[in-house]
Amino acid sequence: MSDKHPMNVVLMWHMHQPEYRDLRTGVIHLPWTYLHAIKDYVDMAAHLEAIPEARAVVNFAPILLEQLEDYTAQISSYLKGNGAIHDPVLAGLAEPALPGNQQARLRLVKDCLRANREHMINRFEPYKRLAAMADWYEEHEQSLIYASNQFLADLLVWYHLSWMAESVQRSDTRIAALQQKASNFSLHDRRGLLQIILEQLQSLVPRYKALAERGQVELSMSPYAHPIIPLLLDMQSARESMPDVHLPINSDYPGGAIRAQWHIQQGLETFERFFGSRPAGLWPSEGGVSQQALELFADNDFRWVASGGNVLHNSHDAHSKSCSHRVYRFGTAGIDCIFRDDELSDLIGFTYSSWHAEDAVANLVGHLENIAEVCPDRDNCLIAIILDGENAWEYYPENGYHFLRELYTQLCEHPLLRLSTMEQFLAEKSPQPAHEERLVAGSWVYGTFSTWIGDPDKNRAWELLVEAKNTFDEQLAAGKLTPEMISAAEKQLAICEGSDWFWWFGNYNPGNTVAQFDQLYRMHLANLYLLLDVEAPAYLGEIISRGGGNPSHGGVMRHHNQSGDTG
């Protein structure tokens, strides 16, 4: 390898959370947006800031950016004395009066245990003791009347301390002081922690924007509310990789092409409002691509798109000998396609969390060196490691701090591996794409759309969505909606079209999480009918899916192949 120029390596981190807000009432039903923001989005920026030579692509779902903006506005107004916090967990930290109702107190106790037990709770002895008490109260609910407000206050503080970015825990003396105090937290302590949370949320967009302006980060986007674009365009595309799949009864999404374009356009407008620039690249929701989707992305002037390695495998001509790390083009679509190295991405997502950081990085670098050694043409090839930028790190000690710091350091110092971004690689190398006749539709998960369609519960969810979309079209055609009503209904419809609801439906996922997303999906659909001035169907009161599985990492992440998720 010594006589060759360096092999380009791209690390791409995808940041996404679905819409947890009830847009009708303002209530936020799950806290994951702000919790991942103060833990993972902050740390991912800090690692890059600490090593100026490091490079990465960071992908944001536009609907996530809007939720972060809303949290920032709520907390800022609250601390100024003229607003309310609509997230019950965050409000519990902030409000002087803790809930008196036993069920509300029990809910708060349970909420404050939603953290990785090994790496986030047991790491801190005071939190570990509080969690043991909380576990007992969960089993003896009638005894909760004996739990003091101080117990709840301390539990809330430690919950948020455990979700604080490792970089902040190591640098902010206010956090260190709270950790040292350990118990008996006052209202002043709680409001001080809320102020730190606000500062971290406020810092995110400016920090990533500054990293992009320095050339360290390429910012890319997903379609607005994270829909599976190929399924909006043509549900039958699911058959390309799953010929025997059972599709919903209504297997033609009405006006899907218009809706797909809406998500692209709205996503671009949102992205540009936050970052002041237009992205060159697109991570389509869940790496979901099809030939028709590629044409749409190209028509919207994206230069590159990325997806999973299994999609490329399915799309290869039977006699193709092209390298999987090449840049590709398919048919007449004028857009460069880059495919994830699924094996390496899964090693970070699932395997290395239990390894010592130096051993894990050495192993990964060894794999990269082996690929580089046999790569036939480094001007036309790059190794793309693409994965969730938020859910993996709670399974690592100290939020992946040691692993990520070692990873960036070793790759920056390696003489024959070069960290790059997609845009930088394409601009500097002007790679000649390998051509294939047609892309076989699929996603990064198994190379299919089975995570979102084909299961009876998933199909039922699609049927409810199609019915709602038909009602939307009917009201629009009848001229019964004002421009303001149309705008609100379009956004509410977009939320219902998001991929996350379909991801969670089915027996594979844990029952508690499925119940939460089932309720959220039906709530969003009901809100759409309200905006359309149509009575919601009675069947929205019926549960769609119950779950009952016990998947790896709680179901928030998937392996690239089914054997990894079932074996």
Side-chain angles (χ1 to χ4, degrees):
M1 193 165 66
S2 59
D3 60 337
K4 300 176 182 178
H5 54 272
M7 181 80 181
N8 282 277
V9 178
V10 173
L11 301 175
M12 180 172 171
W13 313 112
H14 171 53
M15 314 300 199
H16 160 64
Q17 292 294 325
E19 181 59 88
Y20 296 122
R21 298 173 295 179
D22 181 338
L23 296 188
R24 182 174 60 86
T25 66
V27 173
I28 302 171
H29 286 266
L30 289 171
W32 307 125
T33 296
Y34 87 87
L35 290 175
H36 281 295
I38 64 173
K39 184 170 79 72
D40 304 303
Y41 309 157
V42 167
D43 263 354
M44 296 303 271
H47 286 294
L48 289 158
E49 291 165 342
I51 304 176
E53 299 80 19
R55 301 288 182 269
V57 178
V58 180
N59 188 84
F60 282 100
I63 203 164
L64 167 64
L65 295 170
E66 290 185 343
Q67 290 181 83
L68 293 173
E69 180 181 52
D70 184 48
Y71 268 110
T72 301
Q74 284 187 33
I75 301 171
S76 181
S77 294
Y78 179 84
L79 288 173
K80 292 175 183 175
N82 57 6
I85 294 174
H86 299 294
D87 184 306
V89 179
L90 191 57
L93 177 69
E95 291 287 351
L98 289 162
N101 175 275
Q102 181 171 326
Q103 284 305 114
R105 290 168 79 85
L106 181 62
R107 169 67 188 271
L108 202 56
V109 168
K110 290 181 177 180
D111 285 345
C112 288
L113 295 179
R114 292 191 296 191
N116 184 284
R117 183 69 63 144
E118 178 182 359
H119 295 298
M120 296 175 66
I121 294 179
N122 293 347
R123 175 184 178 186
F124 303 103
E125 191 60 36
Y127 190 14
K128 182 180 178 180
R129 289 197 300 270
L130 290 167
M133 294 171 64
D135 290 338
W136 189 87
Y137 281 126
E138 274 200 78
E139 296 175 3
H140 304 84
E141 294 182 14
Q142 297 305 313
S143 298
L144 197 59
I145 58 172
Y146 301 110
S148 68
N149 282 342
Q150 190 63 62
F151 165 74
L152 289 178
D154 286 6
L155 189 60
L156 280 159
V157 169
W158 272 109
Y159 182 65
H160 287 89
L161 287 174
S162 78
W163 276 92
M164 190 60 64
E166 186 67 24
S167 57
V168 179
Q169 293 192 42
R170 289 167 178 260
S171 63
D172 194 310
T173 56
R174 297 168 297 175
I175 294 295
L178 288 172
Q179 291 175 337
Q180 187 171 4
K181 184 173 183 179
S183 62
N184 261 344
F185 295 114
S186 66
L187 179 60
H188 179 75
D189 294 328
R190 288 155 56 195
R191 288 178 69 89
L193 182 53
L194 184 66
Q195 176 63 40
I196 297 170
I197 290 171
L198 174 62
E199 291 170 10
Q200 299 309 315
L201 292 172
Q202 288 174 326
S203 77
L204 286 171
V205 169
R207 290 171 77 176
Y208 280 103
K209 188 175 180 181
L211 285 164
E213 290 171 348
R214 290 203 297 269
Q216 275 193 262
V217 162
E218 178 184 355
L219 296 170
S220 61
M221 61 165 264
S222 296
Y224 174 73
H226 213 259
I228 304 295
I229 292 288
L231 295 181
L232 293 186
L233 293 171
D234 180 9
M235 280 194 207
Q236 297 292 334
S237 67
R239 296 193 187 279
E240 294 180 22
S241 56
M242 300 186 297
D244 299 325
V245 67
H246 293 285
L247 294 177
I249 295 171
N250 300 314
S251 59
D252 179 21
Y253 191 68
I258 294 172
R259 293 303 300 158
Q261 178 59 40
W262 187 95
H263 281 276
I264 295 293
Q265 187 59 43
Q266 191 70 20
L268 283 168
E269 291 175 7
T270 304
F271 185 96
E272 290 180 42
R273 179 168 70 84
F274 279 93
F275 294 117
S277 61
R278 183 186 176 94
L282 182 80
W283 172 251
S285 315
E286 309 295 358
V289 288
S290 65
Q291 191 64 38
Q292 188 178 359
L294 290 185
E295 299 285 354
L296 175 66
F297 303 151
D299 289 345
N300 281 275
D301 297 325
F302 287 101
R303 183 170 182 194
W304 62 263
V305 64
S307 185
N310 278 330
V311 173
L312 176 62
H313 175 77
N314 292 342
S315 304
H316 266 321
D317 179 271
H319 305 291
S320 175
K321 295 182 179 179
S322 295
C323 174
S324 61
H325 297 96
R326 285 283 299 268
V327 176
Y328 281 81
R329 289 204 175 189
F330 295 87
T332 60
I335 186 169
D336 290 332
C337 301
I338 297 161
F339 293 93
R340 173 182 189 261
D341 189 303
D342 290 329
E343 298 287 350
L344 299 186
S345 301
D346 276 4
L347 285 173
I348 296 176
F350 294 95
T351 302
Y352 289 149
S353 58
S354 61
W355 290 33
H356 188 281
E358 292 183 1
D359 294 337
V361 171
N363 183 268
L364 180 62
V365 169
H367 285 299
L368 295 171
E369 289 173 340
N370 290 339
I371 294 170
E373 184 67 41
V374 300
C375 183
D377 186 354
R378 296 186 190 175
D379 286 335
N380 292 316
C381 297
L382 78 164
I383 305 171
I385 296 175
I386 305 174
L387 70 153
D388 186 318
E390 56 205 5
N391 285 310
W393 311 122
E394 67 189 76
Y395 295 91
Y396 282 74
E398 298 177 27
N399 207 40
Y401 180 89
H402 304 287
F403 172 80
L404 287 164
R405 189 59 55 93
E406 181 74 8
L407 177 64
Y408 281 122
T409 298
Q410 291 300 320
L411 291 179
C412 287
E413 294 177 354
H414 201 292
L416 294 167
L417 297 171
R418 178 175 181 257
L419 274 178
S420 186
T421 67
M422 306 289 197
E423 191 174 21
Q424 181 182 6
F425 170 76
L426 294 173
E428 292 181 358
K429 297 296 185 180
S430 299
Q432 298 301 306
H435 282 267
E436 297 281 352
E437 185 176 339
R438 182 176 174 81
L439 182 81
V440 173
S443 76
W444 75 267
V445 187
Y446 317 148
T448 73
F449 294 125
S450 63
T451 301
W452 302 274
I453 200 166
D455 173 275
D457 293 350
K458 299 177 193 294
N459 287 352
R460 178 58 179 156
W462 276 104
E463 288 159 8
L464 299 187
L465 178 59
V466 169
E467 288 294 324
K469 178 57 164 61
N470 283 331
T471 302
F472 173 89
D473 291 342
E474 290 165 5
Q475 293 296 93
L476 194 62
K480 296 182 178 181
L481 305 177
T482 66
E484 293 77 15
M485 293 171 69
I486 293 171
S487 178
E490 283 180 330
K491 181 171 182 177
Q492 187 66 52
L493 174 61
I495 292 167
C496 298
E497 291 166 336
S499 69
D500 295 82
W501 325 117
F502 306 95
W503 170 291
W504 287 105
F505 296 145
N507 294 330
Y508 171 84
N509 287 305
N512 288 341
T513 306
V514 172
Q516 292 169 343
F517 280 82
D518 183 291
Q519 189 272 334
L520 277 171
Y521 181 61
R522 289 183 289 118
M523 176 198 77
H524 285 312
L525 284 171
N527 284 349
L528 176 59
Y529 281 101
L530 284 171
L531 290 170
L532 297 173
D533 197 24
V534 174
E535 182 175 325
Y539 55 65
L540 289 185
E542 300 172 4
I543 292 172
I544 300 168
S545 188
R546 297 184 184 276
N550 184 30
S552 175
H553 287 27
V556 296
M557 297 170 67
R558 294 280 197 275
H559 290 80
H560 74 279
N561 59 46
Q562 241 166 328
S563 63
D565 285 322
T566 58

